Amino acid sequence: LLLAHADDAAPSDVRRMLRAAAAHAWTSGDTGSVRAAASRLADDPFTSGLAALAAEDYATGLPLLDRAVRDGGPDALQAAVVLGADERAFDLATTAVSQARRQGRIGALPDLLEALARVQLAMGLHADAEASATEARALARDTGLRPRGAAVLARLAALQGDETGARALTAGLPSADLTRALLDLALGRHDEVVRRLEDVFRGPHRHAAEAMAASADLVEAALRTDRPEPATTARARLARWADTSGQAWAGALALRCEALLTDAEEPFVRALELHDQATRPFEKARTELAYGEWLRRHRRRSDARPRLHSALETFDRLRATPWSGRVRAELRASGEGTAPTVPAATAPLDRLTPQELQVVRLAAEGVSSREIAAQLFLSPRTVEYHLYKAYPKLGVSSRRELSRIPLATPA
């Protein structure tokens, strides 16, 4: 509709309509409409970048999207999400959500909160991601918009090994195979991973950052099924993306894939150096696990254990239960006794419900109950109820004492 009516619009609206058409078409996998919008906006880095990615021209598309992010225009947030530029996307999404709250733009919040939740999930801020996605889902439902937030909640369920929850939440989602493949990988169903991800990489959503990250899943699974061909292709695609995008997390994943394919140590070491420059703790822990497995296979058990313990600490903190189980099995194989299980919900944030977390954070910043109610579209009485329930969980009894609790989102 946007493409069909752009020519009839006022000149000042044409660019906005075509950019919106490209953005919606990209999200829905309609690459033909992405290209159609870009052909009519040849000087626009956002639409041209999406069209180039859809044609697998990473060398052209990724720099254009990076320019769209740096320009800071209305499409900067989506460009940052497509690129996987986590820190920039986090800043843009946080600012946009805050502005929408202050301005009372409830209709804009579900999309913005979903974008923020995706970035929070990638950055390992799982409590925050759950809170953002839960609110996005509720606001979309209450305002009659299409569902939002389910993809993030499904991936959280998959990370935690909740197969029933992950399958229910992914029903009908374009990203269903990406999420279910991650769960299958954690549970050792490698043939299923290869089948699902080969379908993804034949489909229209294969060019986004989320799919690029899943290339590493395909490499690991394919090698465990003795099928090197899909692994080699996936690694080459990821390496091209990483080299052009300059994203540290992508470079680290490409090096992990290289290490798995070549059975060499040096790519593992370089991958961990890049992980230290990135913002994705789950992926770093996976590299540490793979490196620990490699060291143990090469009879360097004492070298393997520190890597495995570091991975276990991260997986336990993220409540990635199946992955913690894999590390514990590897530690036993390395000659160590069973590593102790870290109880879930040991951090203050983990004790709160998603809405309690939002309320408490705002209260800690000095925002009044009435203002919190306005920003979260609640009643002041509901805000006070959430504070009443949250205080005992945090071991405090007043707003003043909230300043002692580490509630701020890490930068």
Side-chain angles (χ1 to χ4, degrees), residues 48-388:
S48 297
L50 293 182
L53 282 196
E56 296 192 36
D57 182 0
Y58 301 156
T60 299
L62 293 170
L64 283 170
L65 289 173
D66 182 63
R67 180 181 149 196
V69 174
R70 288 185 283 106
D71 288 348
D75 303 305
L77 173 55
Q78 185 168 359
V81 171
V82 172
L83 272 175
D86 295 338
E87 292 175 295
R88 186 64 178 133
F90 178 82
D91 290 341
L92 288 166
T94 301
T95 300
V97 167
S98 178
Q99 289 176 344
R101 289 196 194 285
R102 289 197 306 269
Q103 296 166 0
R105 292 188 293 116
I106 190 171
L109 272 171
D111 277 335
L112 295 174
L113 285 164
E114 184 174 57
L116 178 59
R118 288 178 183 276
V119 182
Q120 290 167 330
L121 177 62
M123 295 173 70
L125 306 174
H126 287 189
D128 301 280
E130 183 181 7
S132 298
T134 300
E135 185 183 6
R137 197 178 189 199
L139 288 176
R141 180 193 63 233
D142 293 345
T143 54
L145 298 173
R146 68 169 178 81
R148 311 293 208 281
V152 171
L153 295 173
R155 196 161 181 87
L156 283 168
L159 285 167
Q160 295 167 10
D162 178 3
E163 186 162 10
T164 301
R167 289 188 177 279
L169 286 161
T170 54
L173 290 179
S175 60
D177 278 334
L178 291 175
T179 297
R180 292 178 180 178
L182 178 66
L183 179 63
D184 288 334
L185 182 61
L187 299 177
R189 298 191 289 247
H190 302 118
D191 288 309
E192 280 296 292
V193 177
V194 174
R195 180 188 65 79
R196 290 187 191 282
L197 293 183
E198 285 189 318
D199 286 344
V200 169
F201 286 109
R202 284 191 291 264
H205 295 283
R206 63 188 181 276
H207 309 297
E210 289 177 334
M212 286 300 120
S215 296
D217 300 345
L218 179 54
V219 169
E220 181 177 341
L223 291 177
R224 291 175 185 266
T225 60
D226 296 322
R227 290 183 57 194
E229 296 84 5
T232 302
T233 302
R235 186 262 168 190
R237 178 175 51 239
L238 176 57
R240 281 198 299 128
W241 174 282
D243 290 344
T244 307
S245 71
Q247 299 301 322
W249 64 264
L253 295 192
L255 285 166
R256 182 173 84 207
C257 293
E258 179 183 338
L260 293 173
L261 281 161
T262 61
D263 197 36
E265 180 177 12
E266 192 261 347
F268 278 127
V269 176
R270 289 166 54 208
L272 288 172
E273 290 172 352
L274 275 180
H275 277 303
D276 287 338
Q277 303 171 29
T279 56
R280 301 195 175 195
F282 175 70
E283 294 297 350
K284 180 181 179 180
R286 286 183 58 184
T287 299
E288 289 175 322
L289 169 58
Y291 188 21
E293 291 171 336
W294 186 93
L295 289 166
R296 196 263 305 167
R297 288 197 308 271
H298 287 76
R299 303 188 179 185
R300 293 167 57 185
R301 294 182 176 183
S302 60
D303 291 333
R305 289 169 194 148
R307 296 296 180 188
L308 294 171
H309 277 291
S310 179
L312 182 60
E313 181 183 352
T314 299
F315 289 144
D316 279 345
R317 176 171 58 82
L318 298 178
R319 290 180 287 176
T321 305
W323 298 90
S324 294
R326 279 184 53 178
V327 179
R328 288 190 170 85
E330 191 62 28
L331 281 168
R332 288 192 293 271
S334 74
E336 183 173 298
T338 303
T341 301
V342 176
T346 55
L349 299 187
D350 293 330
R351 303 176 191 135
L352 305 178
T353 68
Q355 196 150 77
E356 286 169 357
L357 175 61
Q358 291 177 305
V359 169
V360 164
R361 277 222 171 106
L362 289 169
E365 294 171 4
V367 182
S368 71
S369 293
R370 187 171 295 279
E371 291 171 326
I372 294 172
Q375 290 191 32
L376 300 182
F377 305 100
L378 304 171
S379 70
R381 179 174 294 182
T382 300
V383 170
E384 290 296 333
Y385 175 76
H386 285 311
L387 289 172
Y388 169 77

